[in-house]
């Protein structure tokens, strides 16, 4: 055996190197196949591949959103964070300009003769009164939203649709929350592969079996994939003796993961723009229109005061159209605000990031693990099997090179 090693030392030294490469390459492939391609490529239904995460998008999105709204976020908590006084102060200038524009447009459309013949001072008085009373309208609307939030918007459905419709966002969610864990999977292939390679080298020296290389290649790919996945989540608590201790990498990084998860939810999923889109154009948008119709009607009643009965008597249709156009104007104004810096200000006001980080830190170990584990759990056997197959094929190539 020693003589054989001396004659073929380069061959023997290549065995652990190739084993390390098998471990490394199979991990890179496994991680990429976890996330890509986003859509099925190949010949449906079986000859081809779609990333594990994109293929399971509806299931994974539902699991993630159930955790999000079941344990972390109450939609009323988000609305409760709206400081009405700060909101109206911050939006005072654009709101005043909007009211000025709305009053002039509405009057010119529905009562042009009256408005044109009205003195400038009277026009200004009407506009200023509407501007003065607007904060009360906003306060009433926000209070109603707080009370009836579930009737006006479906945040859960919005979040699921965002993740299912945008598979890249779902992949990004897993990649950002589990960035260190995915890197660990790849790097572990080198370490585990090298260790098994030395075992393979010694075994080859005693047996020279042509089945050894592919068998060890398959074993290396299988074991290193499985072991890497286990070491991400287990053990939950640190175990070991003295300085030699280990804790599942995902649990060890809990503080950082909570921060990354809060950033992701606040900047990609529960953004003010997405929430506003769900309110304005979601399945329950008609309920918002009904709510606004009620409050805008009260607002117009306040502006017309004692003159309303007379206006209804002489121009009922015009007054009804005025109410309808006012509601439409409010909705259009909100949409315009969403496209002009609203998102940044609203993100600061709602501060969903801090809320999510705080609640994520309060999760128990199993619930916390649910942030990432669903990305691997159901289909992890496929990743392990792929590692074994790739390892076997590389091992078969290796034995042919050795025998040649």
């Amino acid at each position: 055996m020693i003589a054989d090693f001396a004659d073929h030392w380069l061959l023997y030294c290549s065995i652990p190197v190739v084993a390390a490469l098998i471990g490394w390459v199979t991990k890179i492939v496994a991680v990429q196949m976890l996330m890509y391609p986003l859509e099925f490529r190949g010949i449906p239904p079986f000859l081809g591949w779609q990333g594990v995460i994109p293929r399971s998008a509806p299931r994974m999105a539902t699991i993630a959103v159930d955790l999000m709204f079941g344990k972390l976020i109450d939609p009323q908590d988000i609305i409760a964070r709206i400081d009405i006084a700060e909101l109206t102060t911050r939006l005072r200038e654009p709101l005043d300009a909007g009211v000025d524009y709305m009053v002039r447009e509405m009057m010119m459309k529905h009562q042009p003769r009256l408005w044109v013949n009205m003195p400038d001072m009277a026009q200004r008085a009407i506009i200023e009164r509407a501007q003065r009373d607007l904060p009360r309208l906003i306060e009433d609307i926000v209070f109603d939203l707080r009370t009836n939030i579930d009737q006006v918007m479906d945040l859960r459905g919005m979040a699921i649709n965002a993740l299912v419709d945008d598979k890249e966002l779902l992949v990004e969610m897993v990649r950002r929350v589990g960035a260190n864990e995915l890197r660990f999977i790849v790097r572990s292939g080198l370490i585990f592969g090298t260790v098994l390679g030395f075992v393979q080298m010694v075994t080859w020296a005693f047996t020279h079996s042509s089945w050894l290389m592919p068998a060890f290649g398959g074993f290396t790919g299988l074991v290193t994939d499985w072991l890497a996945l286990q070491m991400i989540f287990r053990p939950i608590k640190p175990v070991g003796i003295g300085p030699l201790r280990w804790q599942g990498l995902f649990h060890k990084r809990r503080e950082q993961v909570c921060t990354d998860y809060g950033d992701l939810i606040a900047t990609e999923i529960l953004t003010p723009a997405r929430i506003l889109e769900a309110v304005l154009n979601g399945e329950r948008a008609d309920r918002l229109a009904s709510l606004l119709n009620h409050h805008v009607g009260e607002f117009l009643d306040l502006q017309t005061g004692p003159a309303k009965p007379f206006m209804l008597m002489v121009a009922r249709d015009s007054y009804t159209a005025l109410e309808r156009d006012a509601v439409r104007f409010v909705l259009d104004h909100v949409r315009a605000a969403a496209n002009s810096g609203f998102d940044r200000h609203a993100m600061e006001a709602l501060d969903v990031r801090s809320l999510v980080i705080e609640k994520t830190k309060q999760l128990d170990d199993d619930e916390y693990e649910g942030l990432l584990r669903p990305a691997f759990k159901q289909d992890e056997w496929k990743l392990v099997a792929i590692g074994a197959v790739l390892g076997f094929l590389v091992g078969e190539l290796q034995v042919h090179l050795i025998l040649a």
Side-chain angles (χ1 to χ4, degrees):
M1 183 182 72
I2 296 176
D4 184 60
F5 183 86
D7 291 338
H8 304 95
W9 64 270
L10 186 59
L11 172 65
Y12 278 96
C13 291
S14 71
I15 292 176
V17 174
V18 172
L21 288 175
I22 291 173
W24 183 56
V25 170
T26 55
K27 301 308 160 292
I28 292 177
V29 172
V31 168
Q32 291 303 308
M33 294 183 75
L34 180 71
M35 298 183 287
Y36 298 106
L38 297 178
E39 304 296 339
F40 185 88
R41 290 185 183 175
I43 303 174
F46 302 115
L47 191 58
W49 185 260
Q50 182 181 12
V52 172
I53 294 172
R55 187 178 66 254
S56 305
R59 176 182 62 83
M60 287 195 57
T62 301
I63 292 173
V65 172
D66 283 346
L67 174 64
M68 192 186 305
F69 288 102
K71 298 292 183 180
L72 303 180
I73 299 172
D74 183 341
Q76 289 190 344
D77 288 343
I78 297 178
I79 302 300
R81 286 174 170 251
I82 298 177
D83 186 321
I84 298 173
E86 181 184 355
L87 179 66
T88 52
T89 300
R90 179 172 285 182
L91 299 178
R92 180 82 267 175
E93 186 175 336
L95 284 175
D96 284 349
V99 170
D100 186 297
Y101 177 79
M102 181 187 76
V103 171
R104 295 180 187 278
E105 286 292 308
M106 296 297 101
M107 291 299 294
M108 286 300 296
K109 181 177 181 179
H110 298 285
Q111 293 293 333
R113 184 176 298 177
L114 174 63
W115 184 254
V116 169
N117 293 319
M118 188 179 295
D120 289 344
M121 185 179 298
Q123 291 182 0
R124 191 69 246 163
I126 292 174
I127 292 172
E128 289 177 355
R129 175 170 177 168
Q131 290 171 337
R132 185 192 69 217
D133 293 337
L134 186 63
R136 178 180 167 183
L137 171 64
I138 295 174
E139 184 175 353
D140 290 343
I141 291 174
V142 172
F143 179 80
D144 236 359
L145 282 174
R146 286 173 178 169
T147 307
N148 305 291
I149 185 68
D150 292 331
Q151 297 179 21
V152 175
M153 71 172 104
D154 181 11
L155 283 182
R156 182 181 179 277
M158 178 214 73
I160 290 177
N161 290 337
L163 293 173
V164 172
D165 295 342
D166 187 355
K167 296 184 178 70
E168 184 66 52
L169 176 59
L170 184 61
V171 168
E172 179 66 14
M173 181 176 178
V174 173
R175 186 162 48 198
R176 282 175 62 176
V177 172
N180 283 36
E181 287 67 32
L182 295 174
R183 282 196 295 269
F184 170 77
I185 289 175
V186 174
R187 293 169 182 171
S188 68
L190 283 171
I191 300 171
F192 298 150
T194 301
V195 172
L196 290 173
F198 280 107
V199 177
Q200 182 184 19
M201 181 181 69
V202 174
T203 308
W204 171 263
F206 281 101
T207 65
H208 283 71
S209 170
S210 60
W211 279 101
L212 178 67
M213 296 301 181
F216 255 94
F219 182 74
T220 300
L222 186 149
V223 170
T224 54
D225 273 15
W226 180 84
L227 193 57
L229 289 172
Q230 296 307 308
M231 292 180 71
I232 289 175
F233 300 105
R234 296 292 180 270
I236 294 175
K237 303 297 183 184
V239 297
I241 301 174
L244 301 176
R245 304 180 70 82
W246 180 261
Q247 180 183 13
L249 191 60
F250 190 61
H251 291 280
K252 186 177 182 179
R253 287 198 321 115
R254 183 162 184 155
E255 194 75 22
Q256 183 61 46
V257 168
C258 291
T259 301
D260 292 342
Y261 186 70
D263 286 336
L264 179 73
I265 298 301
T267 59
E268 299 290 349
I269 299 177
L270 291 183
T271 63
R274 285 189 187 273
I275 293 174
L276 199 58
E277 175 68 19
V279 172
L280 296 177
N281 302 314
E283 295 179 356
R284 303 175 186 177
D286 58 326
R287 300 178 189 178
L288 175 68
S290 176
L291 183 148
L292 285 177
N293 193 61
H294 169 72
H295 286 293
V296 170
E298 290 184 342
F299 180 74
L300 290 178
D301 291 347
L302 181 66
Q303 303 310 306
T304 53
K308 182 180 178 181
F310 175 75
M311 293 180 64
L312 290 175
M313 183 173 64
V314 300
R316 176 178 293 274
D317 292 342
S318 180
Y319 189 82
T320 302
L322 178 64
E323 286 185 322
R324 187 170 57 250
D325 284 350
V327 172
R328 188 180 301 116
F329 177 87
V330 170
L331 289 172
D332 290 343
H333 193 71
V334 171
R335 288 190 180 97
N339 297 319
S340 59
F342 163 84
D343 204 44
R344 179 173 57 84
H345 293 307
M347 194 174 293
E348 293 174 2
L350 297 179
D351 197 15
V352 173
R353 176 182 179 275
S354 297
L355 177 64
V356 173
I357 291 174
E358 176 188 343
K359 293 294 184 68
T360 305
K361 290 179 179 179
Q362 296 172 7
L363 294 175
D364 62 36
D365 292 328
D366 290 336
E367 291 167 344
Y368 166 74
E369 195 171 291
L371 297 178
L372 185 63
R373 186 67 170 174
F376 301 97
K377 193 169 186 178
Q378 181 167 316
D379 294 312
E380 73 177 36
W381 69 270
K382 294 180 182 179
L383 300 176
V384 173
I386 290 169
V389 171
L390 291 174
F392 180 87
L393 294 176
V394 175
E396 184 67 23
L397 176 62
Q398 185 182 18
V399 77
H400 282 294
L401 293 175
I402 290 175
L403 294 177

